[in-house]
Amino acid sequence: GHSPLFILGPCVIESRSHALEVAHRIAEIRNALRISVVFKASYDKANRTSRKSFRGIGRSKGLEVLAEVRSRHDLPVLSDIHTPDEVPDAASVLDILQIPAFLSRQTDLLEAAGRSGRPVHLKKGQFMAPEDMGPAAQKISDTGNTRILLCERGTTFGYHNLVVDFRSLAVMARLSHPVIFDGTHSVQSPGGGGDRSGGDRRYVPLLVRAAMAAGCDGLFLETHPDPDRAPSDGPNMIPLSELPALLGQALELHEFRTGRVSDPAFAPSREAHP
Amino acid sequence: GHSPLFILGPCVIESRSHALEVAHRIAEIRNALRISVVFKASYDKANRTSRKSFRGIGRSKGLEVLAEVRSRHDLPVLSDIHTPDEVPDAASVLDILQIPAFLSRQTDLLEAAGRSGRPVHLKKGQFMAPEDMGPAAQKISDTGNTRILLCERGTTFGYHNLVVDFRSLAVMARLSHPVIFDGTHSVQSPGGGGDRSGGDRRYVPLLVRAAMAAGCDGLFLETHPDPDRAPSDGPNMIPLSELPALLGQALELHEFRTGRVSDPAFAPSREAHP
Amino acid sequence: GHSPLFILGPCVIESRSHALEVAHRIAEIRNALRISVVFKASYDKANRTSRKSFRGIGRSKGLEVLAEVRSRHDLPVLSDIHTPDEVPDAASVLDILQIPAFLSRQTDLLEAAGRSGRPVHLKKGQFMAPEDMGPAAQKISDTGNTRILLCERGTTFGYHNLVVDFRSLAVMARLSHPVIFDGTHSVQSPGGGGDRSGGDRRYVPLLVRAAMAAGCDGLFLETHPDPDRAPSDGPNMIPLSELPALLGQALELHEFRTGRVSDPAFAPSREAHP
Amino acid sequence: GHSPLFILGPCVIESRSHALEVAHRIAEIRNALRISVVFKASYDKANRTSRKSFRGIGRSKGLEVLAEVRSRHDLPVLSDIHTPDEVPDAASVLDILQIPAFLSRQTDLLEAAGRSGRPVHLKKGQFMAPEDMGPAAQKISDTGNTRILLCERGTTFGYHNLVVDFRSLAVMARLSHPVIFDGTHSVQSPGGGGDRSGGDRRYVPLLVRAAMAAGCDGLFLETHPDPDRAPSDGPNMIPLSELPALLGQALELHEFRTGRVSDPAFAPSREAHP
């Protein structure tokens, strides 16, 4: 089996020094585990529950920081994009463009991302069935860019709660794109903190194990040296100190899954609606 | 009680003549029933399930048509906006700016809409609890623009289905903004048609009656001379020919509700989280 | 239109004197409003969240009290049944046998209820789609007893919450049985109170108005002189003092709905799966 | 770690010879893999979607068959119970009494099962949050019988669909009872087949892998020599021929999980509401 991809980093770029510090630690972990890592941090949190929340350091400063992370630590970098006009700047620095879940059906954004030629990490909307990612991904691939990663990050389940339907990993695999499991936003409690989103990081490891054993091609995990003080997604992020053990387990499960298990539910299909 | 607001029109501007024809009929209905009507039609369907779907005639041509509808029929006009850079153009023509449900938390868009000074029709995300509309609306009102309408349009309920939780009408009323019920998108079956969304217009009238009797300040209804041939949201739109009777019933129920019923569940509150 | 049926009473028989007092007040309301009323009270709460909760005064004593309510106030009486062996006793006193929602698919119970010859009030399981009430009702009607009422009482919506999908009123009406709306259990928060169920009676009136305007044939409402001191379903029950005004509004809406509105979504159908 | 428990068998006893044939094969698998197996088959399907469906061969004949399975193959046996009056007969033969999910809150049934002294396999209602299994299990343990297994089998997720929330495995583990994952009913599509339930066995293996890696103490799997001809739950059951490979993978994952992973989310707690 292919080796898995790990998209790792803090939710948001808090400052240049903070991002570089986290990137340094993540690069060490990468080197120790010999894994493929993409560094993730948002330069702009454009859809926070409330306007009062920290939004990040802005696009141009943020992209500078990410470029520095990239060159210093030889880490590919990923960040969210929100409107088509951000794409040229973003694509000039980022190795992967990420489409936020709420924007997973915005045609102009998907097409602009596609036309950039960069790989696109397309998060599944909390309001979408997994098979609906087919037409969404096609908006990108119709531009001629088929380097698309599909991401499971939980589905609306009543109010202030998400649930991960792991059947989606197979449904999306049948669309013939690699599937990433986002263990961080899957434990989010949207709006559950009143004017900020809550969450419960306690469940990240069990969901990560479930995803790797069920079958996926990589993980998206936000991490922070001190999550309880993080300005965004703190309740969902795992401490950096816990990351190596968790990634180690993920690797073993991935090896088990790709080496020992042949599961026809994941076989790419040409069905219109998998 | 105040008289209700009716936001009516076809899903999308199919052509100048089509929009004018529908507007003409809607103006007749307005005159006959002596009601407040805003004409709605999208110039751009930016988040269709699939790229192959009809997107509309484009912003500048679309805004021209809406301006013509406005002047010919003395109808205020409303359309969706998707990115902050659309706002100046849109606000130069539109009487009300509509924020699509998927974009209901995009801070930049909400702030740009707010700063335009135009009233904003904010649709509730399918992934949101009704109380979460408080911080979303505040992103607008913090610009100094408090002319905000909140819109219920159904909540994610499993895959390919939405459900209307009518308790939301009271929860949102307590946020002290008028509440509109969207009877069209509430019966949508998202992605349920494979590469287009399905729906079941059969249930529009019963949901409209329920909403007016429960308590809301207006209706949003898409309508079409021949919905089965409409390029977008056809399965959900009601035929124009059925509109007068339905609006008549809505009016009677609104009168009953505002004149005879005093329901403390709707009383504006200063709770942080209603 | 037919006049609606109102199933009214406290959740549980707390004592002989308590039940008679509530029944007395309900009979007065019936006489004042000239409506059809069935008195409801459970002799046994067989599925409380926790064993520590009050279960009622037991079957034989409970049935005696209901018989007394019946003869004193000329009120038909209804109560829940839980196992087939309860049916003979229950059917000797009760005018309508009620099948609790959790038990809505228990074949033996439904058949025993059917064979008693008594009308059966079949509550829709929180886990059921409305069309699934067709085969459930058929378990009763196959015994030759077609006097069946179908009841909407909310559907599982995430954890600790229910939502009422009012489309169900039409779906069940098409099954050709009268449809009752339960405004009390629809606002339940199952298990939400830890070892007891919570709820929010604030939303009962708005849901009742919605149901009557959408279209149903009757209401089920639990009521209590002092709900906050009730041993069961207190958070959901409305005070007896508020009942007359609410029933008056329900009557007006029912008259409007049956007299003025013709809605094909409710027309009985012979589809196998409406 | 403890070795896991496997509850295996056909959904229903179709005939003496059929049950014995399946049991024979299951005993062979047990011997080959050296695992703990309980044989499961229902003598009565008391809550089929429709009355026309096959219900089984009845209690007394069914218990005879299970007793024969038990003695011939040295297999402990498990079956569903539905009313308290079944318990004495059932407990005289069965090693484990199973409470169906719809009945998971029926106090009398839980108490009768508890008082039998037999271990009880308590399925989580499709309408329950995992923490609500605490008070349900306590109805059993208050009889002095604490040999209780808790079972995850999917939660209502819109209509005609269930979703497995794997966080529940940890929530229930914190209640200090072993947790079983039911991979068969988790892929059920309740009522989705019109007058019978549908399902999709394709997803059983991936959910089983997810459950074992996340963390559970055993599996419940229905299996059949020819599921497409089975009279009940055919769409969900896996073929007997695929069972050995799947159990082998489950064993490896269980070993990994119990030997290598220490997950505090599963640590028994004394919180009232975990």
Side-chain angles (χ1 to χ4, degrees):
Chain A
H2 289 280
S3 71
L5 181 69
F6 295 98
I7 304 173
L8 306 172
C11 178
V12 64
I13 303 174
E14 299 177 20
S15 67
R16 174 179 170 275
S17 62
H18 185 268
L20 287 170
E21 175 203 329
V22 177
H24 176 72
R25 183 70 193 108
I26 285 176
E28 286 179 340
I29 294 170
R30 172 198 57 188
N31 298 342
L33 296 174
R34 298 163 162 269
I35 54 179
S36 299
V37 171
V38 174
F39 182 79
K40 183 268 167 178
S42 294
Y43 51 75
D44 185 11
K45 304 302 298 176
N47 56 25
R48 300 298 304 269
T49 304
S50 161
R51 224 185 111 258
K52 288 166 220 150
S53 308
F54 180 68
R55 274 197 59 166
I57 64 172
R59 190 192 317 167
S60 94
K61 219 168 142 192
L63 287 171
E64 266 174 51
V65 171
L66 291 170
E68 192 173 350
V69 163
R70 193 180 198 290
S71 64
R72 277 215 191 190
H73 296 295
D74 193 27
L75 277 169
V77 292
L78 168 154
S79 196
D80 304 296
I81 56 171
H82 313 88
T83 53
D85 60 4
E86 278 178 53
V87 172
D89 277 8
S92 72
V93 170
L94 304 176
D95 295 276
I96 303 182
L97 304 180
Q98 175 167 293
I99 309 292
F102 292 150
L103 304 180
S104 53
R105 286 176 51 154
Q106 301 302 316
T107 307
D108 288 340
L109 181 63
L110 295 170
E111 290 184 352
R115 280 191 305 263
S116 76
R118 294 287 184 196
V120 181
H121 186 229
L122 179 59
K123 304 195 99 174
K124 177 160 68 66
Q126 300 87 333
F127 43 82
M128 282 171 79
E131 57 270 28
D132 298 344
M133 288 291 272
Q138 185 133 16
K139 293 180 184 182
I140 300 166
S141 59
D142 278 353
T143 67
N145 180 351
T146 58
R147 296 194 294 168
I148 301 168
L149 303 161
L150 304 179
C151 181
E152 169 63 49
R153 47 89 77 236
T155 303
T156 296
F157 183 62
Y159 294 140
H160 304 146
N161 203 183
L162 300 172
V163 68
V164 179
D165 179 1
F166 283 101
R167 294 173 299 184
S168 73
L169 301 181
V171 174
M172 292 198 288
R174 294 201 295 271
L175 297 170
S176 299
H177 298 293
V179 176
I180 304 295
F181 175 66
D182 174 347
T184 299
H185 295 95
S186 292
V187 301
Q188 214 177 26
S189 169
D195 60 0
R196 54 191 306 165
S197 285
D200 194 340
R201 79 172 67 98
R202 239 188 327 179
Y203 298 109
V204 173
L206 86 86
L207 293 177
V208 162
R209 293 193 303 271
M212 296 314 282
C216 65
D217 305 292
L219 286 179
F220 175 106
L221 285 173
E222 290 181 355
T223 182
H224 194 275
D226 187 359
D228 291 332
R229 302 198 178 183
S232 175
D233 268 330
N236 316 333
M237 282 195 284
I238 56 167
L240 255 170
S241 59
E242 297 179 8
L243 195 58
L246 183 56
L247 295 181
Q249 293 169 12
L251 275 175
E252 286 196 62
L253 288 168
H254 187 265
E255 206 162 308
F256 171 82
R257 166 68 180 88
T258 54
R260 313 282 291 282
V261 175
S262 162
D263 189 333
F266 288 75
S269 100
R270 298 205 173 266
E271 309 164 41
H273 309 302
Chain B
H2 289 282
S3 71
L5 182 69
F6 295 98
I7 303 173
L8 306 172
C11 178
V12 64
I13 303 175
E14 299 177 20
S15 68
R16 174 179 170 276
S17 61
H18 185 267
L20 287 170
E21 175 203 328
V22 177
H24 175 73
R25 183 70 192 108
I26 284 176
E28 286 180 341
I29 294 171
R30 171 198 58 189
N31 298 342
L33 296 175
R34 299 161 162 272
I35 54 180
S36 299
V37 171
V38 174
F39 182 80
K40 184 268 166 177
S42 294
Y43 52 74
D44 185 10
K45 304 302 298 175
N47 57 24
R48 300 299 303 268
T49 303
S50 161
R51 225 186 109 255
K52 289 167 218 148
S53 308
F54 180 67
R55 274 197 59 167
I57 64 173
R59 190 192 319 167
S60 94
K61 219 166 141 193
L63 287 171
E64 266 175 49
V65 172
L66 290 170
E68 191 174 349
V69 163
R70 194 178 197 293
S71 64
R72 276 216 189 189
H73 297 295
D74 192 29
L75 277 169
V77 292
L78 169 154
S79 196
D80 303 296
I81 56 171
H82 313 86
T83 54
D85 60 5
E86 281 179 51
V87 171
D89 277 9
S92 72
V93 169
L94 304 177
D95 296 276
I96 303 183
L97 303 180
Q98 175 167 292
I99 308 291
F102 291 148
L103 304 180
S104 53
R105 286 177 49 154
Q106 301 302 315
T107 308
D108 288 340
L109 181 63
L110 295 170
E111 291 184 351
R115 280 191 305 263
S116 77
R118 294 288 183 193
V120 181
H121 186 230
L122 179 59
K123 304 194 99 175
K124 177 161 67 66
Q126 298 88 334
F127 43 82
M128 283 171 78
E131 57 271 27
D132 297 345
M133 288 292 273
Q138 185 132 15
K139 293 180 184 182
I140 300 167
S141 59
D142 278 352
T143 68
N145 180 352
T146 58
R147 296 194 294 168
I148 302 168
L149 303 161
L150 304 179
C151 181
E152 168 63 49
R153 49 86 80 233
T155 302
T156 296
F157 182 63
Y159 294 139
H160 303 146
N161 203 184
L162 300 172
V163 68
V164 179
D165 178 2
F166 283 101
R167 294 172 300 183
S168 73
L169 300 181
V171 174
M172 292 198 289
R174 295 202 296 270
L175 297 170
S176 300
H177 296 293
V179 176
I180 304 295
F181 174 67
D182 174 348
T184 300
H185 295 94
S186 292
V187 301
Q188 215 177 25
S189 169
D195 60 358
R196 53 193 304 167
S197 285
D200 194 340
R201 80 172 66 98
R202 240 187 327 178
Y203 298 109
V204 173
L206 85 86
L207 293 178
V208 163
R209 293 194 303 271
M212 297 313 283
C216 65
D217 304 292
L219 287 179
F220 174 107
L221 285 173
E222 290 180 356
T223 182
H224 194 276
D226 187 0
D228 290 333
R229 301 197 177 184
S232 175
D233 267 330
N236 317 332
M237 283 194 284
I238 55 167
L240 255 170
S241 59
E242 296 179 8
L243 195 59
L246 183 57
L247 295 182
Q249 293 168 13
L251 274 175
E252 285 196 64
L253 288 168
H254 188 265
E255 205 162 310
F256 171 81
R257 166 68 179 88
T258 55
R260 314 282 291 281
V261 175
S262 162
D263 189 334
F266 287 75
S269 102
R270 301 206 172 265
E271 309 164 41
H273 310 301
Chain C
H2 289 283
S3 70
L5 182 69
F6 295 99
I7 303 173
L8 306 172
C11 179
V12 63
I13 304 175
E14 298 177 20
S15 67
R16 175 179 170 277
S17 61
H18 185 268
L20 287 170
E21 176 203 328
V22 177
H24 175 74
R25 183 70 192 108
I26 285 176
E28 285 179 341
I29 294 171
R30 171 198 58 190
N31 297 342
L33 295 175
R34 297 163 164 271
I35 54 179
S36 298
V37 171
V38 173
F39 182 79
K40 184 270 168 177
S42 293
Y43 51 74
D44 185 10
K45 304 302 298 176
N47 57 24
R48 299 300 304 269
T49 303
S50 161
R51 224 186 111 255
K52 288 168 218 149
S53 309
F54 180 67
R55 274 196 58 166
I57 63 173
R59 189 192 317 167
S60 95
K61 219 166 140 194
L63 288 171
E64 266 174 51
V65 171
L66 291 170
E68 192 173 347
V69 163
R70 193 180 199 293
S71 63
R72 275 216 191 188
H73 297 295
D74 194 27
L75 276 170
V77 292
L78 168 154
S79 196
D80 303 297
I81 56 171
H82 313 88
T83 53
D85 60 5
E86 278 179 53
V87 172
D89 276 9
S92 73
V93 170
L94 304 177
D95 295 276
I96 303 182
L97 304 180
Q98 175 167 293
I99 308 292
F102 291 148
L103 304 180
S104 54
R105 285 176 51 154
Q106 301 301 316
T107 308
D108 288 341
L109 181 62
L110 295 170
E111 290 184 352
R115 280 191 305 263
S116 77
R118 294 287 183 196
V120 180
H121 186 230
L122 178 59
K123 303 194 100 175
K124 177 160 69 65
Q126 299 88 332
F127 42 82
M128 283 171 79
E131 58 271 28
D132 298 343
M133 288 291 273
Q138 184 133 16
K139 293 180 183 181
I140 300 167
S141 59
D142 279 352
T143 68
N145 179 351
T146 58
R147 296 194 294 168
I148 301 169
L149 303 160
L150 304 179
C151 181
E152 169 62 50
R153 48 88 79 232
T155 302
T156 296
F157 182 62
Y159 294 139
H160 304 148
N161 203 184
L162 300 172
V163 68
V164 179
D165 178 2
F166 282 102
R167 294 173 300 183
S168 73
L169 301 181
V171 174
M172 293 199 287
R174 295 201 295 271
L175 297 169
S176 299
H177 297 292
V179 176
I180 305 295
F181 174 66
D182 174 347
T184 299
H185 295 93
S186 292
V187 299
Q188 214 177 24
S189 170
D195 61 359
R196 54 193 306 166
S197 285
D200 194 340
R201 78 171 69 97
R202 240 185 331 176
Y203 298 109
V204 173
L206 86 87
L207 292 178
V208 161
R209 292 194 303 271
M212 297 314 283
C216 65
D217 304 292
L219 287 178
F220 175 106
L221 285 173
E222 290 180 355
T223 183
H224 194 276
D226 187 359
D228 290 332
R229 302 197 178 185
S232 176
D233 268 329
N236 316 334
M237 283 195 283
I238 55 167
L240 255 170
S241 59
E242 296 178 8
L243 194 58
L246 182 57
L247 295 182
Q249 293 169 11
L251 274 175
E252 286 195 63
L253 289 168
H254 188 265
E255 206 162 310
F256 171 82
R257 166 68 179 88
T258 54
R260 313 281 292 281
V261 175
S262 162
D263 188 334
F266 287 76
S269 100
R270 300 206 172 266
E271 308 163 42
H273 308 302
Chain D
H2 289 281
S3 70
L5 182 69
F6 294 99
I7 303 173
L8 306 171
C11 178
V12 63
I13 303 174
E14 299 178 19
S15 67
R16 174 178 170 277
S17 62
H18 185 267
L20 287 170
E21 176 203 329
V22 177
H24 176 72
R25 183 71 192 106
I26 285 175
E28 285 179 341
I29 294 170
R30 172 198 57 189
N31 297 342
L33 296 175
R34 297 162 164 272
I35 54 179
S36 297
V37 171
V38 173
F39 182 80
K40 184 269 168 178
S42 293
Y43 50 75
D44 184 12
K45 304 302 297 176
N47 57 24
R48 301 298 304 268
T49 303
S50 159
R51 225 185 110 254
K52 287 167 217 148
S53 308
F54 180 67
R55 275 196 58 167
I57 65 173
R59 190 193 318 167
S60 95
K61 219 167 141 194
L63 287 171
E64 265 174 50
V65 170
L66 290 170
E68 192 173 349
V69 163
R70 192 180 199 291
S71 63
R72 276 214 191 192
H73 297 293
D74 193 27
L75 277 169
V77 292
L78 169 154
S79 196
D80 304 296
I81 55 170
H82 312 87
T83 53
D85 61 5
E86 278 179 52
V87 172
D89 277 9
S92 72
V93 169
L94 303 176
D95 296 276
I96 303 182
L97 304 180
Q98 175 168 292
I99 308 292
F102 292 148
L103 304 181
S104 54
R105 286 176 49 153
Q106 302 301 316
T107 307
D108 288 340
L109 181 63
L110 295 170
E111 291 184 351
R115 280 191 304 263
S116 77
R118 293 288 184 195
V120 180
H121 186 230
L122 179 59
K123 304 194 100 174
K124 178 160 68 63
Q126 299 89 331
F127 43 82
M128 282 170 79
E131 57 271 29
D132 298 344
M133 288 292 273
Q138 184 133 16
K139 293 180 183 181
I140 301 167
S141 58
D142 279 352
T143 68
N145 179 352
T146 58
R147 297 195 294 169
I148 301 169
L149 303 160
L150 304 179
C151 181
E152 169 61 50
R153 48 88 78 234
T155 302
T156 296
F157 183 61
Y159 294 140
H160 303 147
N161 203 184
L162 300 172
V163 68
V164 179
D165 178 1
F166 283 101
R167 295 172 299 184
S168 74
L169 300 181
V171 174
M172 293 198 288
R174 294 201 294 271
L175 297 169
S176 299
H177 297 292
V179 176
I180 304 296
F181 175 65
D182 174 347
T184 300
H185 295 93
S186 292
V187 300
Q188 214 177 26
S189 170
D195 60 0
R196 53 191 306 165
S197 284
D200 194 340
R201 79 171 69 96
R202 237 185 333 175
Y203 298 109
V204 173
L206 85 85
L207 293 178
V208 162
R209 292 193 303 271
M212 296 315 281
C216 65
D217 305 291
L219 287 178
F220 175 107
L221 286 173
E222 290 180 356
T223 183
H224 193 275
D226 187 0
D228 290 333
R229 300 197 178 184
S232 175
D233 268 329
N236 317 334
M237 283 194 283
I238 56 167
L240 255 170
S241 59
E242 297 178 8
L243 194 59
L246 182 57
L247 295 182
Q249 293 169 10
L251 273 175
E252 285 195 65
L253 289 168
H254 187 265
E255 206 162 308
F256 171 81
R257 166 68 179 89
T258 55
R260 312 281 292 281
V261 176
S262 162
D263 189 333
F266 288 75
S269 100
R270 300 205 172 266
E271 310 164 41
H273 309 302

